[in-house]
Amino acid sequence: QVQLVESGGGLVQAGGSLRLSCATSGFTFSSYGMGWFSQAPGKEREFITAISSSGGTFYADSVKGRFTISRDNVKRTVYLQMTSLKPEDTAVYYCAKSNDPYIQTTISRYHSWGQGTQVTVSS
């Protein structure tokens, strides 16, 4: 049974930093790409960043240069380091397991999701 559990969310002031973690189990972690998505109140879930099984990364323009995705295959965990946070980054952040080893940017390519962690950035 695939499980994804996010942690690390919270309340931070604009300009601050947070590191989200997504601990996984139930599948061969090193063989799959992983992604992070965000969903603000009243908005659709949107792509933030993804990492392939080999460590390649891709970012949405809105977070490029501020967020960094990484993975630890031994700990079976994917991370999202967020810096220079803005109030518009406020959302629930979800990690997801891709259906293949590659970078994917569309929701339909992810079949397993965590429960989400709230990030609130105050101005």
Side-chain angles (χ1 to χ4, degrees):
Q1 179 183 356
V2 175
Q3 288 191 322
L4 307 174
V5 180
E6 301 98 334
S7 61
L11 174 64
V12 63
Q13 289 188 330
S17 299
L18 280 175
R19 189 176 83 152
L20 307 184
S21 300
C22 175
T24 74
S25 62
F27 64 101
T28 306
F29 179 77
S30 59
S31 296
Y32 291 91
M34 300 292 296
W36 286 96
F37 291 74
S38 68
Q39 188 166 16
K43 294 188 176 182
E44 293 186 351
R45 193 169 299 188
E46 62 180 20
F47 171 81
I48 295 295
T49 180
I51 186 167
S52 69
S53 62
S54 60
T57 59
F58 184 79
Y59 298 90
D61 287 344
S62 60
V63 305
K64 200 173 295 183
R66 299 190 299 123
F67 291 10
T68 303
I69 189 172
S70 61
R71 63 189 299 157
D72 184 328
N73 289 341
V74 174
K75 294 183 178 179
R76 304 174 53 86
T77 300
V78 60
Y79 303 98
L80 182 63
Q81 179 68 50
M82 305 187 293
T83 64
S84 301
L85 282 160
K86 305 174 182 180
E88 51 263 45
D89 294 320
T90 295
V92 177
Y93 283 74
Y94 297 90
C95 75
K97 168 187 168 293
S98 172
N99 297 337
D100 55 44
Y102 311 115
I103 291 172
Q104 301 291 353
T105 63
T106 56
I107 290 176
S108 63
R109 299 300 297 179
Y110 293 86
H111 284 183
S112 299
W113 296 81
Q115 83 288 349
T117 186
Q118 176 71 47
V119 171
T120 303
V121 184
S122 63
S123 57

